[in-house]
Amino acid sequence: DTGVSQDPRHKITKRGQNVTFRCDPISEHNRLYWYRQTLGQGPEFLTYFQNEAQLEKSRLLSDRFSAERPKGSFSTLEIQRTEQGDSAMYLCASSWSGGTYEQYFGPGTRLTVT
Amino acid sequence: AQRVTQPEKLLSVFKGAPVELKCNYSYSGSPELFWYVQYSRQRLQLLLRHISRESIKGFTADLNKGETSFHLKKPFAQEEDSAMYYCALQGGGADGLTFGKGTHLIIQP
């Protein structure tokens, strides 16, 4: 296991299209987090899962954003009807609830909406 | 509401000089505080957390609840310390992290 992985690493889409990103956490980690990072800002927390349960989703930016983790392993983040303001780096992180809560981050997916 | 403030966007120091990256936070309870670092072309990684009271790569950070600060310090900067540094707060155990805007540290030779 080489750490948290995200796919794709880069995505260019046209305004109005839907996009979906995938995150594969470290295999023994049961918690999974999504963040968004825009230029010049720190990561901004969006949502998190413990196993397959989405325990916090009030921070999702709008109802165009949704996330799933159907089997408690990988997760997907979908943005519907993308807008130019959605252009950002989307980060995934995972952690183990029985440990120190340290979050391990993936490399991110850079989204560009044209 | 919880907030993390890093007042310096950019900090440039010479190799061998002391470094202090400032972090102030706002949170009503007892937070967990972290410093994350991102080296060029690498992913975000944990540098240290206040609860462990470790020294990692020569860096230390002390939580000052009175001043609500968690400044990161290193007595002698090295060129490989050049990176983006983010202070982060976790308020509710499993909840997501609240990050500051980051400080870009440049160590000049």
Side-chain angles (χ1 to χ4, degrees):
Chain A
D1 194 334
T2 56
V4 178
S5 61
Q6 293 186 244
D7 184 69
R9 295 291 304 277
H10 304 273
K11 177 72 176 179
I12 300 174
T13 191
K14 292 187 177 179
R15 191 175 54 185
Q17 297 295 304
N18 298 345
V19 294
T20 300
F21 310 139
R22 176 178 170 127
C23 171
D24 286 87
I26 293 171
S27 56
E28 61 267 26
H29 285 181
N30 59 347
R31 289 195 173 132
L32 188 148
Y33 302 80
W34 284 100
Y35 294 83
R36 182 182 79 159
Q37 186 173 21
T38 53
L39 203 60
Q41 304 293 318
E44 177 186 11
F45 170 61
L46 298 179
T47 187
Y48 94 96
F49 295 84
Q50 178 156 318
N51 301 312
E52 64 274 10
Q54 191 172 12
L55 298 185
E56 172 60 68
K57 56 182 178 181
S58 65
R59 313 276 193 91
L60 285 167
L61 301 161
S62 78
D63 57 8
R64 296 185 297 107
F65 287 71
S66 63
E68 292 184 343
R69 195 183 184 199
K71 296 182 180 178
S73 56
F74 73 91
S75 175
T76 57
L77 178 70
E78 181 182 16
I79 309 173
Q80 295 183 326
R81 304 181 304 281
T82 52
E83 301 172 357
Q84 287 192 318
D86 297 332
S87 295
M89 178 74 85
Y90 290 84
L91 297 169
C92 176
S94 69
S95 70
W96 167 238
S97 62
T100 59
Y101 298 125
E102 176 180 346
Q103 294 184 25
Y104 293 80
F105 282 81
T109 294
R110 181 167 294 285
L111 173 66
T112 302
V113 182
T114 62
Chain B
Q2 50 200 43
R3 179 179 291 182
V4 175
T5 303
Q6 293 180 251
E8 303 131 334
K9 212 172 184 178
L10 174 67
L11 184 63
S12 179
V13 302
F14 286 102
K15 177 181 169 182
V19 171
E20 183 179 43
L21 285 79
K22 292 185 167 47
C23 171
N24 287 89
Y25 67 90
S26 172
Y27 183 67
S28 55
S30 290
E32 291 211 32
L33 274 298
F34 306 83
W35 277 99
Y36 277 80
V37 61
Q38 188 167 27
Y39 300 103
S40 180
R41 301 185 188 279
Q42 294 187 28
R43 64 185 66 189
L44 204 56
Q45 58 186 284
L46 181 67
L47 180 63
L48 55 80
R49 52 185 296 171
H50 88 273
I51 201 166
S52 62
R53 302 185 67 81
E54 293 175 298
S55 172
I56 306 292
K57 299 185 179 183
F59 284 98
T60 58
D62 288 319
L63 178 60
N64 185 324
K65 291 186 178 180
E67 296 183 359
T68 59
S69 68
F70 188 56
H71 303 328
L72 184 68
K73 299 177 184 178
K74 184 169 182 176
F76 308 104
Q78 298 173 300
E79 287 185 67
E80 55 264 34
D81 296 329
S82 294
M84 279 296 295
Y85 290 80
Y86 294 95
C87 183
L89 176 156
Q90 188 171 49
D95 207 357
L97 296 165
T98 298
F99 284 86
K101 292 185 178 182
T103 298
H104 186 188
L105 177 64
I106 297 174
I107 308 301
Q108 298 191 47

